[in-house]
Every structure is written in C-alpha cells, then in structure tokens.
Amino acid sequence: MTESIASRKVTRIPLDVGEAYLDAAWINNLRENNKTKKIYDVDPFVEVYQFRENFYGLLTNLLDGHNNFVWMYLIIGPEKAMLIDTSFGLGNLKGLVDEISNGKPVILANTHCSCDHSYGNCQFDKAYGHVDLVDDMNWKQDPGIWDYLFDDNGKSIWVDFERKDIIPFKKYEFVGVPDGYVFNLGEDYDVELIWLPGHQPGHAGYLDKKNRILIAGDAICGSGVGLSGGSDFYADEKHARDRFQGSTIPTEDSRRTVTAYRDSLVRTAKRMDEFDYIFGGHGTNDLDKNILLSIIEACDQIIADPNCYDYKNGDRLQKMVRGWASIGYYENGI
C-alpha cells in the first residue's frame, strides 16, 4: 500500500496565495493540534475530526492538485447515518463509515458531481443528490474516471499513491431529488437538501437541523467559491487530460451564473434562523452563517458592474468578499 496519510509528516499548506493566508493557517493548525483527530486502520488515507457529538469531518488529499485537501461529512442519526460526498474514492471509505457509525445503514448524498466529491460513490450501492445532477452523475460512472491522475507509465502525477489503493469501480444507482427534499435519519432527525447552483447547475447543500449546520459543499468554502458560467472546462493541461471533468450541461447555462448563485443565497439567507454554522467542501469550516450576507453583497456588486473584480486568476475574475475569501467568475457568466 502507498504510504498512508497517518505515517507522513503533516505537510503545511504554503502561505503564498493572497486571501488563502488565513484558510491555510486554519487547516495547518487543525491538522497539527486538534485533539479529536483520528486515523483508522481501515482507511489510513482519511483524517477524521469530530466537530459535534454526532457530526464528523473526513479530510483527505485532493488527488489532482499539490498539497490540498477535500472534506466529506458524516452525520450519525438515531437509526441511520448520512455521508455527504465521497472524494476520489481512495481507500476503504465504506469500511471507515461503517466503523464510525457502528454499522448503521448509510444514506449517501452528494453536493455535486466533481471528481473530488463523487468518485468514491462506487463503493456504495446508491447515492442521492439534486435532480439536476442525474445526467452528469450517470455519465461519470466509468472505470476511466481516474485515468487523468496517472502519467503514461502509470505513476500518480500530483499525490503519491498507487492505482491499487483506489477501490475498484462498480456501477451504483443515482437518485435525483428536488430542492427541499428531506432525508430522515430516524425519529425526528431530518436533513434537508438545499439547492445552491452556481458552482454547478445541480449543486446542493444539506441542512442538518439538529446541529444547526449547513453543509454547503463548494458553494461556500473557507477558500472561496468558483462559479462555472462562461468557463472553459479544458482551459488547462490538467483538465485537458480528464475527459470526465466537464459536464453534459453547457457552460452558458443560467444555473452556472453569478445571478443563480446570488438568488440561491438570498433564498437560503431567509432561513438563517434554522442554522448557525456553515461547513464547506474545502478549507476552513465551522464558518459563521452571517458570511452569507457578505457574499450576497459582493454578488450584487458583480451583477451591477462585472468589472468590479479585484484581480484576475487566468481568465477568471476574482471579487473579494468582506470578511471571507473571493468569488471567482467569468465575464460571460454573470
């Protein structure tokens, strides 16, 4: 087996990317000092953090980028557990979830269909997500989804691991559900799907009403958000190698825009009395809910004047958000 995340020295994220200073510092401190951190033998590629009595963050390497990480979340309900996202599928994620949940039935749900949030789905028999994800999720059910992570000699390109460490591919059932769909974990423990388009058309968050947490995926990360309207999925060499990085939904689709993102946050902000904290798909989590208001304010500024950006990241425009990070958007994606 490839050297596990447990046996490696904790690698600090370099503090060299503008607004990512605080985000990187937070992740570094968490990985070095958090007392709940645990790594299980069944899946040594995941660091497990207990953020609430029944709520866990599962942190693993981002396999198509240097020195970065992605979050999955596990809620343990009275009768069932709920896993939100599956990252790349490196290691025995299902075995890990079964061990943490003491073998309770598991409901798997995805925030969106990107490789770093859904490629581990094939370790399970069924997954749920917003109805607008169905076509893309089914399209990406293919044994070749991991090919771009390796060079022509079969060596991993960005992170040191071996192909055998990925659980073999198998088909699974993907069930699309509408905005507002409620998953019951037993008794009165409900988790609701909240549609949050912009990053992707079918992107969704999940509202854990008992813990008063909004699990927001890539819609609200500690490191910011990237919206996909008007983008070119194959603009860089990495994604040019990945024939499953794109989507069956055109980049000009209105559900990818700043406006769609802003409108979803406005709807969500009207329910801020139902949650206090936000957990994203990357970087800092346990964010205060009031960051929503700052993001909406920045979206309004972009819609009023698309040229109000603070800097460029390639062909993507970046607008800083007061008290947070930045919104990445394209000039044709307003």
Side-chain angles (χ1 to χ4, degrees):
M1 177 186 290
T2 300
E3 183 184 22
S4 73
I5 199 171
S7 61
R8 298 174 187 165
K9 181 180 179 181
V10 172
T11 303
R12 295 181 65 87
I13 298 174
L15 304 180
D16 61 358
V17 188
E19 74 273 13
Y21 281 131
L22 293 179
D23 188 62
W26 187 92
I27 282 286
N28 289 336
N29 182 63
L30 176 84
R31 299 188 68 226
E32 293 169 358
N33 300 308
N34 187 279
K35 302 303 182 184
T36 72
K37 176 180 174 180
K38 185 174 181 179
I39 299 175
Y40 292 74
D41 291 338
V42 68
D43 188 351
F45 300 103
V46 175
E47 296 176 355
V48 179
Y49 297 86
Q50 186 173 2
F51 290 117
R52 303 290 189 273
E53 182 179 359
N54 69 324
F55 180 74
Y56 298 82
L58 281 54
L59 186 70
T60 190
N61 289 104
L62 189 73
L63 298 186
D64 63 357
H66 293 293
N67 203 21
N68 212 330
F69 306 93
V70 58
W71 285 107
M72 305 168 277
Y73 296 103
L74 180 64
I75 306 168
I76 310 297
E79 299 171 10
K80 300 177 182 179
M82 186 171 185
L83 175 65
I84 298 172
D85 285 343
T86 59
S87 189
F88 283 92
L90 180 66
N92 187 2
L93 177 61
K94 185 178 187 304
L96 175 64
V97 170
D98 287 344
E99 185 166 341
I100 298 173
S101 66
N102 292 317
K104 287 184 177 181
V106 177
I107 298 171
L108 168 61
N110 293 110
T111 59
H112 59 301
C113 65
S114 289
C115 49
D116 54 333
H117 294 270
S118 68
Y119 280 10
N121 284 13
C122 61
Q123 297 187 29
F124 300 82
D125 295 324
K126 180 186 290 187
Y128 294 86
H130 189 267
V131 66
D132 290 350
L133 285 180
V134 173
D135 288 345
D136 280 346
M137 281 293 195
N138 288 332
W139 171 52
K140 295 187 180 192
Q141 291 201 46
D142 187 286
I145 54 178
W146 298 287
D147 289 349
Y148 81 107
L149 299 173
F150 302 90
D151 63 21
D152 293 338
N153 297 315
K155 180 177 174 55
S156 57
I157 297 173
W158 294 281
V159 176
D160 182 20
F161 72 100
E162 299 177 18
R163 186 85 184 221
K164 65 182 180 180
D165 297 323
I166 295 177
I167 300 298
F169 175 84
K170 72 175 179 64
K171 289 277 190 178
Y172 60 91
E173 179 186 4
F174 187 79
V175 180
V177 298
D179 182 29
Y181 185 88
V182 174
F183 300 88
N184 181 261
L185 306 188
E187 300 174 7
D188 63 344
Y189 204 114
D190 291 337
V191 179
E192 180 182 345
L193 182 148
I194 306 292
W195 185 42
L196 298 172
H199 181 68
Q200 286 182 359
H203 190 290
Y206 293 88
L207 179 59
D208 177 347
K209 300 182 181 184
K210 286 290 186 181
N211 281 319
R212 296 183 58 82
I213 287 171
L214 175 64
I215 300 165
D218 282 5
I220 307 174
C221 295
S223 53
V225 64
L227 307 180
S228 59
S231 64
D232 181 354
F233 288 117
Y234 303 99
D236 58 71
E237 182 180 355
K238 176 175 70 174
H239 291 145
R241 289 173 46 85
D242 180 8
R243 59 194 174 100
F244 295 102
Q245 173 63 22
S247 171
T248 63
I249 301 173
T251 60
E252 60 265 27
D253 189 280
S254 62
R255 292 167 292 177
R256 297 182 179 277
T257 61
V258 177
T259 298
Y261 180 61
R262 183 261 183 200
D263 290 348
S264 74
L265 297 185
V266 169
R267 292 193 300 269
T268 305
K270 292 177 180 178
R271 302 181 61 180
M272 284 173 59
D273 61 333
E274 298 180 52
F275 63 96
D276 299 311
Y277 303 100
I278 299 172
F279 283 72
H282 302 272
T284 308
N285 56 34
D286 234 343
L287 300 171
D288 186 275
K289 65 181 179 183
N290 287 292
I291 197 66
L292 273 175
L293 304 179
S294 290
I295 302 174
I296 292 169
E297 178 183 48
C299 286
D300 286 339
Q301 293 171 359
I302 294 170
I303 293 168
D305 177 13
N307 290 317
C308 71
Y309 62 89
D310 294 293
Y311 66 97
K312 286 187 175 182
N313 181 9
D315 61 344
R316 189 163 68 180
L317 312 177
Q318 301 288 148
K319 173 67 175 176
M320 297 300 299
V321 178
R322 179 173 53 88
W324 187 47
S326 67
I327 300 170
Y329 64 99
Y330 297 87
E331 60 181 356
N332 294 326
I334 306 302

Short mmCIF file of all heavy atoms in Angstrom, two decimals, residues 168-197:
data_model
loop_
_atom_site.label_atom_id
_atom_site.label_comp_id
_atom_site.label_asym_id
_atom_site.label_seq_id
_atom_site.Cartn_x
_atom_site.Cartn_y
_atom_site.Cartn_z
N PRO A 168 -11.96 -0.67 -6.59
CA PRO A 168 -12.36 -0.88 -7.99
C PRO A 168 -13.75 -0.32 -8.30
O PRO A 168 -14.65 -0.32 -7.46
CB PRO A 168 -12.34 -2.40 -8.14
CG PRO A 168 -11.34 -2.86 -7.12
CD PRO A 168 -11.51 -1.92 -5.95
N PHE A 169 -13.91 0.17 -9.52
CA PHE A 169 -15.15 0.78 -9.96
C PHE A 169 -16.29 -0.24 -10.04
O PHE A 169 -16.09 -1.38 -10.44
CB PHE A 169 -14.96 1.42 -11.33
CG PHE A 169 -16.23 1.97 -11.91
CD1 PHE A 169 -16.67 3.24 -11.56
CD2 PHE A 169 -17.01 1.21 -12.78
CE1 PHE A 169 -17.85 3.74 -12.08
CE2 PHE A 169 -18.18 1.71 -13.31
CZ PHE A 169 -18.61 2.98 -12.94
N LYS A 170 -17.47 0.20 -9.65
CA LYS A 170 -18.69 -0.55 -9.92
C LYS A 170 -19.83 0.46 -10.09
O LYS A 170 -19.79 1.55 -9.53
CB LYS A 170 -19.02 -1.56 -8.81
CG LYS A 170 -19.50 -0.97 -7.50
CD LYS A 170 -19.89 -2.06 -6.53
CE LYS A 170 -20.35 -1.50 -5.18
NZ LYS A 170 -21.58 -0.68 -5.28
N LYS A 171 -20.81 0.08 -10.86
CA LYS A 171 -21.97 0.93 -11.07
C LYS A 171 -22.78 1.06 -9.79
O LYS A 171 -22.83 0.14 -8.96
CB LYS A 171 -22.86 0.35 -12.18
CG LYS A 171 -22.27 0.45 -13.57
CD LYS A 171 -22.53 1.82 -14.18
CE LYS A 171 -22.16 1.85 -15.64
NZ LYS A 171 -22.45 3.16 -16.27
N TYR A 172 -23.45 2.19 -9.62
CA TYR A 172 -24.34 2.42 -8.50
C TYR A 172 -25.57 3.17 -9.00
O TYR A 172 -25.57 3.73 -10.10
CB TYR A 172 -23.64 3.22 -7.38
CG TYR A 172 -23.16 4.57 -7.81
CD1 TYR A 172 -23.97 5.71 -7.68
CD2 TYR A 172 -21.90 4.74 -8.37
CE1 TYR A 172 -23.53 6.95 -8.10
CE2 TYR A 172 -21.45 5.98 -8.78
CZ TYR A 172 -22.27 7.09 -8.64
OH TYR A 172 -21.83 8.32 -9.05
N GLU A 173 -26.60 3.19 -8.21
CA GLU A 173 -27.83 3.91 -8.58
C GLU A 173 -27.74 5.34 -8.07
O GLU A 173 -27.46 5.56 -6.89
CB GLU A 173 -29.05 3.22 -7.97
CG GLU A 173 -30.38 3.92 -8.27
CD GLU A 173 -31.57 3.30 -7.55
OE1 GLU A 173 -31.36 2.38 -6.74
OE2 GLU A 173 -32.70 3.77 -7.79
N PHE A 174 -27.97 6.30 -8.95
CA PHE A 174 -28.04 7.69 -8.52
C PHE A 174 -29.48 8.17 -8.59
O PHE A 174 -30.12 8.07 -9.63
CB PHE A 174 -27.15 8.61 -9.36
CG PHE A 174 -27.10 10.01 -8.81
CD1 PHE A 174 -26.30 10.30 -7.73
CD2 PHE A 174 -27.89 11.01 -9.33
CE1 PHE A 174 -26.28 11.58 -7.18
CE2 PHE A 174 -27.88 12.29 -8.80
CZ PHE A 174 -27.07 12.57 -7.72
N VAL A 175 -29.96 8.71 -7.47
CA VAL A 175 -31.36 9.14 -7.36
C VAL A 175 -31.39 10.66 -7.24
O VAL A 175 -30.86 11.23 -6.28
CB VAL A 175 -32.04 8.50 -6.13
CG1 VAL A 175 -33.50 8.96 -6.04
CG2 VAL A 175 -31.96 6.98 -6.20
N GLY A 176 -32.02 11.32 -8.20
CA GLY A 176 -32.18 12.76 -8.15
C GLY A 176 -33.42 13.17 -7.39
O GLY A 176 -34.49 12.60 -7.60
N VAL A 177 -33.26 14.12 -6.49
CA VAL A 177 -34.39 14.59 -5.68
C VAL A 177 -34.50 16.11 -5.79
O VAL A 177 -33.52 16.79 -6.12
CB VAL A 177 -34.24 14.17 -4.20
CG1 VAL A 177 -34.23 12.65 -4.07
CG2 VAL A 177 -32.97 14.76 -3.59
N PRO A 178 -35.65 16.68 -5.50
CA PRO A 178 -35.84 18.13 -5.67
C PRO A 178 -35.32 18.95 -4.49
O PRO A 178 -35.05 18.41 -3.41
CB PRO A 178 -37.36 18.25 -5.79
CG PRO A 178 -37.88 17.12 -4.97
CD PRO A 178 -36.91 15.98 -5.18
N ASP A 179 -35.21 20.24 -4.74
CA ASP A 179 -34.92 21.19 -3.66
C ASP A 179 -35.93 21.02 -2.54
O ASP A 179 -37.13 20.90 -2.78
CB ASP A 179 -34.98 22.62 -4.23
CG ASP A 179 -34.64 23.68 -3.22
OD1 ASP A 179 -33.86 23.40 -2.29
OD2 ASP A 179 -35.16 24.81 -3.36
N GLY A 180 -35.44 20.95 -1.31
CA GLY A 180 -36.32 20.80 -0.17
C GLY A 180 -36.59 19.37 0.25
O GLY A 180 -37.29 19.13 1.24
N TYR A 181 -36.01 18.41 -0.47
CA TYR A 181 -36.21 17.00 -0.13
C TYR A 181 -35.61 16.73 1.24
O TYR A 181 -34.51 17.18 1.57
CB TYR A 181 -35.57 16.11 -1.18
CG TYR A 181 -35.82 14.64 -0.99
CD1 TYR A 181 -36.94 14.04 -1.54
CD2 TYR A 181 -34.93 13.86 -0.26
CE1 TYR A 181 -37.18 12.68 -1.37
CE2 TYR A 181 -35.16 12.51 -0.08
CZ TYR A 181 -36.28 11.92 -0.64
OH TYR A 181 -36.52 10.57 -0.46
N VAL A 182 -36.32 15.96 2.07
CA VAL A 182 -35.89 15.69 3.44
C VAL A 182 -35.49 14.23 3.60
O VAL A 182 -36.24 13.32 3.24
CB VAL A 182 -37.01 16.05 4.44
CG1 VAL A 182 -36.61 15.63 5.86
CG2 VAL A 182 -37.30 17.55 4.40
N PHE A 183 -34.31 14.02 4.15
CA PHE A 183 -33.82 12.69 4.50
C PHE A 183 -34.02 12.50 6.00
O PHE A 183 -33.59 13.35 6.80
CB PHE A 183 -32.33 12.55 4.17
CG PHE A 183 -32.00 12.75 2.73
CD1 PHE A 183 -31.74 14.03 2.23
CD2 PHE A 183 -31.95 11.67 1.85
CE1 PHE A 183 -31.42 14.22 0.89
CE2 PHE A 183 -31.64 11.86 0.51
CZ PHE A 183 -31.38 13.13 0.03
N ASN A 184 -34.64 11.43 6.39
CA ASN A 184 -34.87 11.16 7.80
C ASN A 184 -33.87 10.11 8.30
O ASN A 184 -33.74 9.03 7.73
CB ASN A 184 -36.30 10.66 8.04
CG ASN A 184 -36.57 10.40 9.52
OD1 ASN A 184 -36.51 9.27 9.99
ND2 ASN A 184 -36.83 11.46 10.27
N LEU A 185 -33.16 10.45 9.38
CA LEU A 185 -32.15 9.56 9.95
C LEU A 185 -32.66 8.82 11.17
O LEU A 185 -31.90 8.23 11.91
CB LEU A 185 -30.89 10.35 10.31
CG LEU A 185 -30.28 11.21 9.20
CD1 LEU A 185 -28.94 11.77 9.64
CD2 LEU A 185 -30.12 10.42 7.91
N GLY A 186 -33.98 8.85 11.35
CA GLY A 186 -34.59 8.18 12.49
C GLY A 186 -35.21 9.18 13.44
O GLY A 186 -34.70 10.28 13.64
N GLU A 187 -36.37 8.79 14.00
CA GLU A 187 -37.11 9.66 14.92
C GLU A 187 -37.38 11.01 14.24
O GLU A 187 -37.91 11.04 13.12
CB GLU A 187 -36.36 9.78 16.26
CG GLU A 187 -36.16 8.43 16.95
CD GLU A 187 -35.30 8.52 18.19
OE1 GLU A 187 -34.94 9.65 18.62
OE2 GLU A 187 -34.98 7.45 18.74
N ASP A 188 -37.01 12.11 14.88
CA ASP A 188 -37.27 13.42 14.27
C ASP A 188 -36.01 14.06 13.71
O ASP A 188 -35.92 15.29 13.57
CB ASP A 188 -37.93 14.36 15.29
CG ASP A 188 -37.03 14.65 16.49
OD1 ASP A 188 -36.03 13.91 16.68
OD2 ASP A 188 -37.32 15.60 17.24
N TYR A 189 -35.01 13.23 13.36
CA TYR A 189 -33.74 13.76 12.86
C TYR A 189 -33.81 13.89 11.34
O TYR A 189 -33.73 12.90 10.62
CB TYR A 189 -32.57 12.86 13.25
CG TYR A 189 -31.24 13.59 13.29
CD1 TYR A 189 -30.55 13.76 14.49
CD2 TYR A 189 -30.69 14.16 12.14
CE1 TYR A 189 -29.36 14.45 14.54
CE2 TYR A 189 -29.51 14.86 12.18
CZ TYR A 189 -28.84 15.00 13.38
OH TYR A 189 -27.65 15.70 13.43
N ASP A 190 -33.96 15.12 10.86
CA ASP A 190 -34.10 15.39 9.44
C ASP A 190 -32.91 16.19 8.90
O ASP A 190 -32.37 17.07 9.57
CB ASP A 190 -35.38 16.19 9.17
CG ASP A 190 -36.65 15.38 9.40
OD1 ASP A 190 -36.57 14.13 9.34
OD2 ASP A 190 -37.70 16.01 9.65
N VAL A 191 -32.53 15.86 7.67
CA VAL A 191 -31.52 16.62 6.93
C VAL A 191 -32.14 16.98 5.58
O VAL A 191 -32.61 16.11 4.85
CB VAL A 191 -30.24 15.80 6.72
CG1 VAL A 191 -29.23 16.60 5.92
CG2 VAL A 191 -29.64 15.36 8.06
N GLU A 192 -32.13 18.27 5.26
CA GLU A 192 -32.82 18.75 4.06
C GLU A 192 -31.85 19.19 2.97
O GLU A 192 -30.85 19.86 3.24
CB GLU A 192 -33.72 19.94 4.42
CG GLU A 192 -34.49 20.52 3.25
CD GLU A 192 -35.33 21.73 3.64
OE1 GLU A 192 -35.54 21.95 4.85
OE2 GLU A 192 -35.76 22.47 2.72
N LEU A 193 -32.13 18.79 1.73
CA LEU A 193 -31.35 19.24 0.58
C LEU A 193 -31.73 20.68 0.24
O LEU A 193 -32.91 21.00 0.10
CB LEU A 193 -31.58 18.33 -0.61
CG LEU A 193 -30.78 18.64 -1.89
CD1 LEU A 193 -30.47 17.35 -2.65
CD2 LEU A 193 -31.50 19.62 -2.81
N ILE A 194 -30.71 21.53 0.12
CA ILE A 194 -30.88 22.95 -0.23
C ILE A 194 -30.16 23.20 -1.55
O ILE A 194 -28.93 23.08 -1.64
CB ILE A 194 -30.31 23.88 0.86
CG1 ILE A 194 -30.89 23.55 2.24
CG2 ILE A 194 -30.54 25.34 0.47
CD1 ILE A 194 -32.35 23.86 2.39
N TRP A 195 -30.90 23.53 -2.60
CA TRP A 195 -30.30 23.74 -3.92
C TRP A 195 -29.47 25.02 -3.92
O TRP A 195 -29.97 26.11 -3.59
CB TRP A 195 -31.42 23.82 -4.97
CG TRP A 195 -30.95 23.94 -6.38
CD1 TRP A 195 -29.93 23.27 -6.98
CD2 TRP A 195 -31.53 24.78 -7.39
NE1 TRP A 195 -29.83 23.62 -8.31
CE2 TRP A 195 -30.79 24.54 -8.59
CE3 TRP A 195 -32.60 25.67 -7.41
CZ2 TRP A 195 -31.11 25.20 -9.78
CZ3 TRP A 195 -32.90 26.31 -8.60
CH2 TRP A 195 -32.16 26.08 -9.77
N LEU A 196 -28.19 24.90 -4.28
CA LEU A 196 -27.25 26.03 -4.29
C LEU A 196 -26.49 26.06 -5.62
O LEU A 196 -25.30 25.75 -5.67
CB LEU A 196 -26.27 25.91 -3.12
CG LEU A 196 -26.84 25.95 -1.71
CD1 LEU A 196 -25.75 25.62 -0.68
CD2 LEU A 196 -27.45 27.32 -1.41
N PRO A 197 -27.13 26.39 -6.73
CA PRO A 197 -26.45 26.40 -8.02
C PRO A 197 -25.43 27.53 -8.13
O PRO A 197 -25.38 28.42 -7.29
CB PRO A 197 -27.61 26.61 -9.00
CG PRO A 197 -28.61 27.40 -8.22
CD PRO A 197 -28.53 26.86 -6.82
#
